[in-house]
Amino acid sequence: MMKQSMFAFSLRKTLVLALFALLAMGACKSKKKAVQTAPAPAPVEQVQTPPPAPAATRSAEEIAAEKLENYFNSVARASSANSANQSIQETLAMFSNQETPVLIVIHEENGIKDYDEPTTIKKYLEYLKDTKKNLNYISDIRMDANGKVSELELRRK
């Protein structure tokens, strides 16, 4: 009887081991299936940054407006009448003539602009010299074919 129980014991042991092996193999297959059936991750798109844009070239109007703002400030802040007059002469060289119109917008609604009494660049520069205040900024500038300012529109700061 002893042989029989030993045989039965080892048969039982073998069956249990086989069962564990089947379960283990089944588990491995299901893991493989899970790995295989999982959708592949979407390819990561590499965002290529465009090369930096070339330095923005400024228009003649933008350059002239910047220079004029500096001239207007130097006339208004001049320490003496002589330095103000020198700045005025330098500023006038940028204009087609001393009678170039200067329009000052006092109100705008729905695209319709109301202007203060029109003046000339010469009179406006004298006004800056007398008041010692530059209360306006350039909102529009027009240039002629020679690169000189032919019309100037200002607004309150």
Side-chain angles (χ1 to χ4, degrees):
M1 271 214 179
M2 187 85 158
K3 282 190 174 188
Q4 207 177 20
S5 70
M6 195 174 240
F7 178 72
F9 178 71
S10 76
L11 182 62
R12 236 187 263 159
K13 209 176 190 182
T14 307
L15 284 176
V16 170
L17 284 173
L19 180 62
F20 281 126
L22 277 174
L23 286 174
M25 288 174 56
C28 287
K29 285 183 181 176
S30 66
K31 283 183 186 175
K32 285 181 184 176
K33 284 182 183 177
V35 170
Q36 289 174 354
T37 57
V44 177
E45 290 184 32
Q46 293 181 354
V47 178
Q48 294 180 349
T49 56
T57 55
R58 299 185 317 165
S59 68
E61 287 84 4
E62 291 171 325
I63 294 168
E66 185 177 319
K67 284 182 180 179
L68 283 175
E69 288 287 351
N70 291 333
Y71 278 131
F72 291 167
N73 287 327
S74 68
V75 169
R77 295 179 184 150
S79 58
S80 68
N82 286 338
S83 65
N85 288 335
Q86 183 180 356
S87 293
I88 287 172
Q89 291 308 312
E90 291 172 13
T91 307
L92 288 174
M94 293 183 64
F95 288 84
S96 54
N97 63 53
Q98 293 185 3
E99 302 302 313
T100 299
V102 176
L103 306 171
I104 302 171
V105 178
I106 56 174
H107 181 73
E108 181 176 5
E109 189 172 326
N110 298 327
I112 299 171
K113 298 176 184 176
D114 289 330
Y115 297 99
D116 198 357
E117 182 179 339
T119 189
T120 65
I121 189 58
K122 176 73 173 161
K123 290 179 184 176
Y124 183 72
L125 291 169
E126 293 294 333
Y127 167 80
L128 289 177
K129 180 175 92 173
D130 294 341
T131 61
K132 297 192 177 295
K133 293 179 184 175
N134 182 12
L135 301 176
N136 301 308
Y137 68 93
I138 298 170
S139 64
D140 191 23
I141 188 170
R142 305 261 164 84
M143 309 284 282
D144 64 12
N146 299 324
K148 301 278 186 171
V149 178
S150 60
E151 185 178 308
L152 195 60
E153 183 180 275
L154 305 175
R155 291 180 187 259
R156 284 274 182 194
K157 289 183 180 177

